[in-house]
Amino acid sequence: MSYAHLHTITNFTFQYGASHPAEYVHRAAELGYDAIAITDECSLCGIVKAFVAAQEINFKLIIGSRFTLSNGVRLIAIAPSKLAYAELSGFITLARMRSEKGSYEAHFEDLRFRLQHCLVIWIGLTETATQSCSDVADLLKAAFKERLWIGINHQLDGTENETFIRWLTISRTKQIPLVACGEALMHVKDRKNLQDAITAIREGVPVTELGTRLQLNAEAYLKPMELLDQLYPLELLEESAVIADLCDFSMNELRYQYPKELVPEGITPLQHITNLVDEGKAARWPLGVPDSVEVILKKELGLIEELHYEYYFLTVHDIVRFARSQHILCQGRGSAANSIVCYCLFITEIAPGQINVLFERFISRERDEPPDIDVDFESERREEVIQYIYRHYGRERAALTATVTCYRPKSAIRDIGKALGLELSLVDHLSKSLSYWDREMDLEKRSEALGLKIDKWILIEFFSLVHTIQNFPRHLGQHTGGFVISLDKLSNIVPLENASMIDRTIVQWDKEDLEVMNLLKIDVLGLGMLTAIRKTLDY
């Protein structure tokens, strides 16, 4: 029997999923699945983590995302090809950019034009749906034709037979194939308590007050093949493998390209950067460039050409050039200070004679790591530089890197404590006393010291959940200044969304994801001391 799991919600659907992307991938491989699709809610936030895990064990990963449309239609879109992936990423961007941070707005009318190559699994309607199942089936069939399936999700809630008969009737009437598509909110059944706690955190009430908002049972997990065989007709399980076979896309196919308009027509990028370096070194050494410097420059430029980093240096140079034209103080720092090219491009102010220059600390073919140029700008005027980047390259081609805010001990204690309905005084006490609680017995002593009588098993569960939820993502934040700038639409590679700050957009991947996918970021940072120096100079 062949089977691919096609409906997977990770903890990157924040406060819904109860397992990491990598946990799903490894569990799917253990169970003998053909493949697994990661389908977070209007998001590709966790897909790189899943990709890394799948690469390590040579397991097939399918890229997808789940949506609830404004008319109540619920569906999963899957990318079988690179073109389909770009469509999916662009559709997520469109839906996210329409809304404030943390939410999205997707319309049925967008589907036909935005997802022309994606595979679509219709998984139901919400209670507020504005159209009947029959009407929705007609519309979806007209839009997606042979790329449409109806997903069957058996969660043993007592309505399986009735629901299946209804979907089977629609399938036969509208000629839409059925496929096994059970929702997974956790990779193993044992995560149910954590999933309940996460639901309580999301809803802002203790677990005991959630009622029907809780999952009815612990069936939303990756099931063994023998159990799947009991739940679904064989044809539906085999149909999931048919969908998997249609999916040839791998994240390895994504290719990042630097902006190229910075190079004048008629010359190569290396010639342009060499010309700029020649101008810079003439200004830096007006009495003549030392032979030792020329040797190092030749070596640096050769390595930049070999590793194809010309456009990266030119982009940083352009940003610094703008800042200097506006009399904004700026200074490159970190390992970039080991580059004479950066010194000649006025990105850094450290002359090679001032330090022992070791360029390999900055760029090395052996380390196979991209360059990392951090540039500090006056903190009070950094926004001018940021808006220049958006204005010059366009919102479609430039966005800030995301940071994933994760649970740490204090936040885990507070959120899990509230979810379990513990006394706020105990929760507050524990969150401030991290150094001396690491066993269930300690929790009992602390509660007794505060005059609280709490069931021992609740304390044991609290202890377990706090440890499990640590390092779970809580939400996407905004990097302090790491920009990703691309040649074409950035959303062809990674979805964009609004940041909490006005006039800011971020990509859905963090620094580690960008490194995995070989996307270079440019750090546009703010430094208060440069503002202080500017004010001093102005007096």
Side-chain angles (χ1 to χ4, degrees):
M1 181 178 74
S2 298
Y3 174 72
H5 192 82
L6 301 174
H7 189 178
T8 313
I9 302 300
T10 79
N11 51 14
F12 279 87
T13 299
F14 305 112
Q15 298 181 345
Y16 278 88
S19 294
H20 295 282
E23 290 178 316
Y24 280 111
V25 171
H26 288 290
R27 183 59 177 163
E30 289 173 5
L31 293 172
Y33 293 0
D34 289 7
I36 188 169
I38 300 298
T39 57
D40 281 310
E41 188 81 16
C42 194
S43 172
L44 295 179
C45 289
I47 204 64
V48 177
K49 273 78 173 174
F51 169 65
V52 171
Q55 288 279 97
E56 290 173 350
I57 60 174
N58 193 29
F59 188 73
K60 185 168 185 176
L61 175 68
I62 299 171
I63 315 300
S65 186
R66 186 178 75 180
F67 302 91
T68 299
L69 306 181
S70 57
N71 64 350
V73 175
R74 300 182 69 240
L75 56 83
I76 293 169
I78 286 175
S81 64
K82 183 179 178 181
L83 181 57
Y85 174 87
E87 290 179 349
L88 177 61
S89 179
F91 185 66
I92 293 171
T93 299
L94 175 69
R96 289 285 182 180
M97 294 290 283
R98 283 174 172 159
S99 301
E100 62 184 17
K101 180 181 181 290
S103 60
Y104 73 93
E105 181 182 332
H107 302 307
F108 190 92
E109 294 76 17
D110 298 323
L111 294 177
R112 183 190 299 271
F113 303 104
R114 298 283 178 172
L115 301 179
Q116 295 185 0
H117 297 86
C118 288
L119 310 179
V120 172
I121 304 173
W122 178 25
I123 56 174
L125 300 174
T126 64
E127 294 180 357
T128 58
T130 59
Q131 294 168 295
S132 69
C133 279
S134 179
D135 290 341
V136 171
D138 289 336
L139 291 171
L140 288 171
K141 182 67 174 180
F144 299 108
K145 300 180 175 59
E146 305 306 314
R147 294 182 287 118
L148 176 66
W149 286 261
I150 294 174
I152 302 300
N153 177 25
H154 286 337
Q155 300 289 5
L156 302 184
D157 60 4
T159 65
E160 281 75 26
N161 290 339
E162 178 186 344
T163 302
F164 181 71
I165 291 172
R166 186 172 68 250
W167 284 120
L168 181 61
T169 301
I170 293 175
S171 170
R172 289 173 174 173
T173 303
K174 308 296 183 180
Q175 296 298 299
I176 304 173
L178 300 178
V179 63
C181 192
E183 179 186 36
L185 297 172
M186 48 202 170
H187 74 296
V188 291
K189 207 168 188 175
D190 293 345
R191 286 283 171 90
K192 177 61 165 62
N193 287 351
L194 179 60
Q195 209 283 320
D196 288 346
I198 288 172
T199 303
I201 293 168
R202 183 182 75 243
E203 298 293 333
V205 297
V207 170
T208 53
E209 299 178 18
L210 282 173
T212 57
R213 286 175 286 183
L214 286 172
Q215 291 288 308
L216 294 178
N217 52 42
E219 293 301 312
Y221 72 104
L222 300 184
K223 297 177 173 65
M225 298 289 276
E226 56 270 21
L227 183 54
L228 289 169
D229 192 33
Q230 297 173 27
L231 289 175
Y232 299 95
L234 180 61
E235 302 81 47
L236 272 65
L237 296 171
E238 297 284 356
E239 191 67 23
S240 70
V242 170
I243 292 177
D245 288 341
L246 293 173
C247 297
D248 297 323
F249 173 70
S250 167
M251 298 288 284
N252 283 320
E253 296 179 45
L254 296 181
R255 292 290 180 268
Y256 170 72
Q257 290 184 297
Y258 308 104
K260 295 184 176 179
E261 66 266 31
L262 297 175
V263 179
E265 291 186 12
I267 64 173
T268 66
L270 182 66
Q271 288 173 331
H272 185 44
I273 197 172
T274 301
N275 293 339
L276 292 174
V277 166
D278 287 344
E279 293 176 10
K281 71 183 182 184
R284 292 296 198 185
W285 291 279
L287 299 180
V289 182
D291 292 340
S292 59
V293 170
E294 292 284 13
V295 171
I296 297 175
L297 275 176
K298 183 178 180 180
K299 173 187 173 184
E300 290 187 17
L301 289 170
L303 192 55
I304 289 170
E305 180 186 24
E306 178 184 339
L307 299 178
H308 308 294
Y309 289 145
E310 299 98 325
Y311 287 112
Y312 178 72
F313 280 83
L314 291 172
T315 304
V316 178
H317 169 264
D318 175 66
I319 295 169
V320 170
R321 178 203 56 76
F322 166 79
R324 292 182 182 277
S325 73
Q326 301 301 308
H327 306 290
I328 301 172
L329 292 180
C330 59
Q331 168 66 46
R333 59 177 170 85
S335 60
N338 296 306
S339 166
I340 298 182
V341 166
C342 285
Y343 181 63
C344 291
L345 294 177
F346 290 86
I347 294 171
T348 63
E349 290 296 330
I350 304 299
Q354 296 177 264
I355 59 173
N356 293 321
V357 176
L358 181 62
F359 184 65
E360 284 74 9
R361 183 173 172 266
F362 178 45
I363 299 177
S364 169
R365 70 170 65 86
E366 288 78 14
R367 285 188 13 239
D368 192 27
E369 293 179 2
D372 186 15
I373 301 178
D374 299 330
V375 185
D376 292 317
F377 298 86
E378 296 178 45
S379 57
E380 290 187 359
R381 299 190 66 188
R382 182 176 70 125
E383 188 63 26
E384 295 177 47
V385 180
I386 289 175
Q387 293 307 318
Y388 165 75
I389 294 173
Y390 280 131
R391 186 171 62 251
H392 184 73
Y393 296 98
R395 296 267 171 181
E396 292 184 338
R397 300 169 54 205
L400 285 161
T401 307
T403 56
V404 180
T405 301
C406 296
Y407 274 102
R408 298 291 180 254
K410 280 190 176 182
S411 56
I413 290 169
R414 289 186 180 279
D415 279 7
I416 294 296
K418 292 175 183 177
L420 295 184
L422 298 183
E423 289 283 347
L424 293 181
S425 58
L426 175 60
V427 173
D428 186 61
H429 180 72
L430 290 173
S431 68
K432 294 177 181 177
S433 311
L434 300 177
S435 61
Y436 55 77
W437 81 277
D438 59 357
R439 296 184 304 275
E440 292 90 336
M441 188 181 299
D442 291 334
L443 297 182
E444 290 185 75
K445 290 179 180 179
R446 294 300 158 197
S447 60
E448 291 173 2
L450 292 171
L452 302 173
K453 293 184 178 180
I454 301 175
D455 187 279
K456 174 183 178 180
W457 297 109
I458 293 179
L459 290 177
I460 291 175
E461 185 65 19
F462 171 72
F463 177 84
S464 174
L465 292 177
V466 165
H467 279 77
T468 305
I469 203 174
Q470 286 192 48
N471 296 318
F472 262 51
R474 298 177 70 189
H475 59 82
L476 279 188
Q478 173 187 303
H479 190 276
T480 53
F483 258 97
V484 182
I485 308 172
S486 65
L487 173 63
D488 299 311
K489 280 186 177 181
L490 190 53
S491 63
N492 287 343
I493 302 174
V494 54
L496 280 59
E497 62 178 66
N498 291 314
S500 55
M501 292 183 65
I502 193 171
D503 292 332
R504 299 284 182 90
T505 51
I506 62 173
V507 298
Q508 287 190 337
W509 295 343
D510 63 13
K511 176 182 176 181
E512 288 72 25
D513 294 335
L514 296 177
E515 289 178 355
V516 169
M517 300 308 300
N518 293 316
L519 271 70
L520 292 186
K521 68 178 178 66
I522 298 169
D523 285 318
V524 179
L525 308 173
L527 185 62
M529 183 54 67
L530 288 178
T531 296
I533 293 173
R534 166 57 63 196
K535 290 181 177 180
T536 301
L537 295 174
D538 288 343
Y539 279 126

